[in-house]
Amino acid sequence: MTSTTSTPPASNFLRTIIEQDLANGTYSDKRWAGKPGPASVQKQGALDTARIRTRFPPEPNGHLHIGHAKSICLNFGLARDYGGACHLRFDDTNPEKENDEYVNAIIDTVKWLGFSWEFQTETNLYYASDYFDYLYEFAQALIRSGDAYVDEQTSEQVRATRGTLKEKGVNSPWRDRPAEESLALLDEMRGGKHPDGSLILRAKIDMGSPNMNLRDPALYRIRHAEHHRTGSKWCIYPMYTWAHPVEDALEGITHSICTLEFEDQRPFYDWILEKLAALGQLNHPLPHQYEFARLNLSYVVTSKRKLLMLVQEGYVSGWDDPRLPTLVGLRRRGYTPEAIRLFCERLGVSKSSSHINHNMLEQALRDDLDPKADRRIAVLDPVKLVITNYPEGQTERCVAPSNPHNPDSTSREFPFSRELWIERDDFLENPPKKYFRLFPGNTVRLKYGYTVKCTGCLKDENGRVTEVHAEYLADTKSGSAGANAVKVKGTITWVSAAHAIRAEVRLYDRLFTDPHPDSGNKNFLDSLNPNSIQTVQGWLEPGTHADPGSLWQFERLGYFIADTIDSTRERPVINRAVTLRDAWI
Ligand code: ATP
Ligand code: MG
């Protein structure tokens, strides 16, 4: 599983549905005016050249996370594979929590993941708030046709009369009021004459329906709130379940793909669209909603509310903290768009929800980086190794492949000298069995350098090793004729002390110790991992330029990235993206 080259995508139930729709010509009569709009606009358009239309509809109330990546890869991927268009639509119908900073970050992130909302000459970037006028007109049409009414009950009364799964609901006393009254009241609601929560517009469906979502659901509520795009123009805002089908229809979406929680909303989705089509507001063919299982990843939380809390209360350094499952965080951690797409591809698409092990995300990163990341040596917990029989001041050139798994890669060079940095745990004065690294009397290979024989160590007054001593065996240099003359069981990495580059290295671990930090009644803050970041001062191979975003494999240690915010060549700051092997099994 080391290849990221494109293999044909695995089939799934959504692909099957799309292929059937294409074979049956379900959408072949669909007209598209080149921009969103109701029937009157669309019927003037030509036949739609996009064979399907999907959409990714984030609410700009937070940053995107790995769960969103699944939906992005799915929607944009299907459109790409079937000659269609995928719209990026900001579902900004909830004024209080939305803002432009999130809008811009989401745009950047979807682009970074490698997707585009351009289709032929179209730029399919939309805002639900641009449809507020249409939604209002459609609501009026529903009132006129007897399919909606303004309810004056309090929110407690509305809740109390909704019924239960076993009991039917009770009709509102305002349910059969004349359409003119509801129209006038809706107009007053819009005009700001009523306080928040005093009136709602409801669809008139069936208070006895076994599906609770069809018991006269709300369409509009009053919210005297400033909107990030429409300002104070509106003080009524559409409910998500009302706005969403309309947004899809105005945009000519064919396959509206959402997560399973919305399955019970599908009858309402269809009810709205059929009504509006019957009223001449929308054209057939109408969008259809399909549901798939959301991504639940172990050891993370993805609820935006919880992520916001971690950020606001300072448990992490920001939305882009490398420990968060946000896409800006994963990016800073060293995740590549290719790795995230590979992960989403491997996830597949299904209708049964399950928890995905975090290892799977990490493995996708290793598999993506293995063939492309240049190798370097770093020593993160350094202790001096002195080659006592090597002349002071002398250096020798060592050559190593930049990437042994990439036949096109070049080689790199670095000096060998008398004093080296090695990892502290590569020396033990009294080793256990099967320890093949340095201990007095043992011979090991210094990777790409010489074979050395350990002769002892120096210690401080606390017994801590301060210096390890060894003698090199002449004629054993890697690449030379005698390299394999002396057999060794251990190979260790090193950097020349006089030449190595000092670096701050941030060793990240999982943010939570519990695989399901927020399941059941658990408080996710209780399982925060106190050791989720450890900062060390290490040494890097000479020639390792820590320009922000540079990625390497540090041999034996893992994949690392120069931090995109804090790193410079002069003062490298390096993040550990992932270890070479999984330490959690
Ligand atoms: P919140 O945490 O506020 O519930 P959300 O994740 O629902 O946020 P949206 O902005 O509404 O956020 O999501 C945009 C799209 O991403 C939706 O279509 C949603 O279905 C999809 N999505 C969100 N989370 C996941 C997930 N974990 N797996 C797959 N798709 C997801
Ligand atoms: Mg949501």
Side-chain angles (χ1 to χ4, degrees):
M1 292 226 284
T2 56
S3 163
T4 54
T5 51
S6 51
T7 40
S11 188
N12 61 50
F13 75 99
L14 290 169
R15 289 183 178 273
T16 308
I17 288 167
I18 291 172
E19 283 160 22
Q20 276 165 4
D21 282 336
L22 291 176
N24 298 340
T26 313
Y27 295 97
S28 52
D29 295 335
K30 186 166 79 79
R31 292 188 174 273
W32 170 243
K35 60 173 188 206
S40 56
V41 171
Q42 299 307 345
K43 68 179 176 227
Q44 291 163 25
L47 289 179
D48 195 350
T49 49
R51 295 172 77 214
I52 61 168
R53 281 185 192 267
T54 57
R55 85 287 170 272
F56 173 65
E59 188 181 346
N61 62 348
H63 286 264
L64 299 179
H65 53 64
I66 187 69
H68 293 116
K70 179 174 180 183
S71 176
I72 294 170
C73 291
L74 180 60
N75 281 293
F76 283 93
L78 289 172
R80 176 199 59 211
D81 293 349
Y82 291 102
C86 179
H87 300 187
L88 175 60
R89 178 202 307 148
F90 288 100
D91 215 331
D92 55 353
T93 53
N94 229 337
E96 284 100 339
K97 296 184 197 153
E98 299 164 356
N99 68 47
D100 287 342
E101 180 204 323
Y102 294 136
V103 167
N104 294 329
I106 290 171
I107 289 177
D108 282 351
T109 301
V110 178
K111 276 192 196 157
W112 174 76
L113 266 182
F115 295 106
S116 164
W117 41 92
E118 313 268 323
F119 175 76
Q120 296 171 353
T121 57
E122 299 168 13
T123 302
N124 292 302
L125 176 66
Y126 301 114
Y127 293 85
S129 53
D130 285 341
Y131 310 144
F132 283 168
D133 285 310
Y134 290 131
L135 280 156
Y136 190 78
E137 286 167 29
F138 291 0
Q140 289 174 315
L142 289 174
I143 295 175
R144 279 191 215 101
S145 62
D147 293 305
Y149 61 98
V150 171
D151 196 349
E152 296 185 33
Q153 295 184 104
T154 62
S155 53
E156 291 75 42
Q157 287 168 326
V158 170
R159 213 171 302 128
T161 53
R162 224 178 142 223
T164 62
L165 284 176
K166 291 197 187 111
E167 258 175 81
K168 293 184 173 186
V170 179
N171 285 353
S172 163
W174 308 103
R175 196 172 197 268
D176 293 316
R177 74 192 320 167
E180 291 68 36
E181 263 183 47
S182 284
L183 284 170
L185 281 169
L186 182 65
D187 194 51
E188 288 182 18
M189 284 164 67
R190 179 187 182 166
K193 295 217 172 69
H194 299 276
D196 285 5
S198 57
L199 299 173
I200 53 169
L201 181 72
R202 295 178 80 176
K204 194 193 287 185
I205 310 180
D206 180 4
M207 290 304 290
S209 172
N211 182 339
M212 301 277 287
N213 298 308
L214 295 180
R215 294 186 187 174
D216 292 10
L219 302 180
Y220 268 115
R221 69 212 192 286
I222 304 174
R223 277 275 186 293
H224 290 269
E226 218 27 46
H227 186 278
H228 76 116
R229 295 187 80 239
T230 59
S232 54
K233 180 177 176 201
W234 294 88
C235 62
I236 55 172
Y237 289 95
M239 305 302 291
Y240 176 83
T241 48
W242 151 235
H244 203 80
V246 172
E247 293 160 15
D248 284 344
L250 292 171
E251 291 180 21
I253 300 301
T254 55
H255 300 80
S256 175
I257 300 164
C258 61
T259 44
L260 278 172
E261 313 87 87
F262 294 98
E263 195 167 16
D264 289 346
Q265 291 288 354
R266 187 168 4 110
F268 182 48
Y269 183 100
D270 291 338
W271 183 91
I272 299 260
L273 295 183
E274 293 294 348
K275 283 284 174 200
L276 292 171
L279 293 169
Q281 303 286 351
L282 297 175
N283 274 340
H284 283 281
L286 295 167
H288 201 291
Q289 175 182 304
Y290 302 94
E291 306 86 17
F292 72 102
R294 68 191 293 114
L295 168 64
N296 298 310
L297 191 62
S298 62
Y299 294 102
V300 302
V301 296
T302 53
S303 145
K304 282 188 227 164
R305 187 179 59 77
K306 291 173 189 159
L307 291 170
L308 186 66
M309 197 162 148
L310 290 169
V311 173
Q312 283 183 337
E313 295 181 14
Y315 293 104
V316 294
S317 63
W319 282 99
D320 65 352
D321 188 297
R323 291 166 293 179
L324 288 182
T326 53
L327 294 172
V328 283
L330 289 169
R331 179 180 183 177
R332 194 169 168 194
R333 176 75 173 259
Y335 275 81
T336 57
E338 293 83 359
I340 291 174
R341 296 201 304 260
L342 180 63
F343 169 67
C344 292
E345 222 170 86
R346 288 178 181 171
L347 284 176
V349 183
S350 87
K351 274 185 107 55
S352 55
S353 65
S354 63
H355 264 88
I356 298 298
N357 197 314
H358 202 271
N359 301 334
M360 199 170 152
L361 179 62
E362 294 170 352
Q363 193 55 39
L365 182 60
R366 294 185 189 107
D367 290 342
D368 178 53
L369 291 182
D370 180 49
K372 51 189 195 201
D374 273 355
R375 274 41 174 178
R376 292 286 184 273
I377 290 173
V379 175
L380 301 185
D381 183 13
V383 68
K384 242 334 145 50
L385 172 67
V386 181
I387 314 296
T388 49
N389 62 343
Y390 197 83
E392 270 183 57
Q394 180 173 317
T395 59
E396 262 176 274
R397 208 168 62 111
C398 297
V399 181
S402 293
N403 183 333
H405 295 174
N406 178 353
D408 300 333
S409 99
T410 51
S411 57
R412 60 195 222 261
E413 291 179 7
F414 44 84
F416 183 82
S417 67
R418 180 182 159 91
E419 294 198 4
L420 314 174
W421 291 116
I422 59 168
E423 294 288 350
R424 180 166 286 281
D425 69 2
D426 281 341
F427 170 78
L428 281 181
E429 204 177 8
N430 299 303
K433 271 197 182 135
K434 296 203 176 151
Y435 183 88
F436 299 124
R437 291 170 276 164
L438 287 169
F439 57 87
N442 194 37
T443 306
V444 303
R445 158 141 328 266
L446 296 177
K447 202 169 181 192
Y448 312 121
Y450 283 98
T451 295
V452 298
K453 180 168 188 177
C454 183
T455 53
C457 67
L458 300 181
K459 287 191 272 188
D460 65 13
E461 64 274 21
N462 301 318
R464 184 173 157 90
V465 174
T466 52
E467 215 171 87
V468 179
H469 290 174
E471 291 176 354
Y472 85 112
L473 311 181
D475 303 328
T476 59
K477 188 149 176 261
S478 281
S480 71
N484 295 322
V486 182
K487 292 277 172 249
V488 294
K489 282 193 175 159
T491 298
I492 67 169
T493 41
W494 54 275
V495 288
S496 168
H499 304 92
I501 303 169
R502 200 170 166 75
E504 173 181 328
V505 183
R506 298 173 181 167
L507 303 173
Y508 292 107
D509 203 343
R510 293 177 183 172
L511 190 55
F512 296 97
T513 52
D514 186 327
H516 311 300
D518 55 355
S519 65
N521 294 324
K522 283 186 247 178
N523 176 356
F524 67 106
L525 297 174
D526 291 345
S527 60
L528 275 169
N529 178 1
N531 302 316
S532 61
I533 177 170
Q534 190 198 345
T535 302
V536 300
Q537 299 297 324
W539 294 100
L540 310 182
E541 180 181 312
T544 305
H545 297 310
D547 297 328
S550 303
L551 266 164
W552 316 270
Q553 184 197 95
F554 289 163
E555 299 195 23
R556 301 170 68 209
L557 298 175
Y559 293 94
F560 291 74
I561 185 174
D563 191 70
T564 47
I565 311 281
D566 298 334
S567 188
T568 61
R569 276 197 191 192
E570 294 67 42
R571 288 181 50 99
V573 177
I574 314 283
N575 299 327
R576 180 170 69 197
V578 65
T579 52
L580 279 189
R581 270 170 294 276
D582 183 9
W584 283 68
I585 24 180

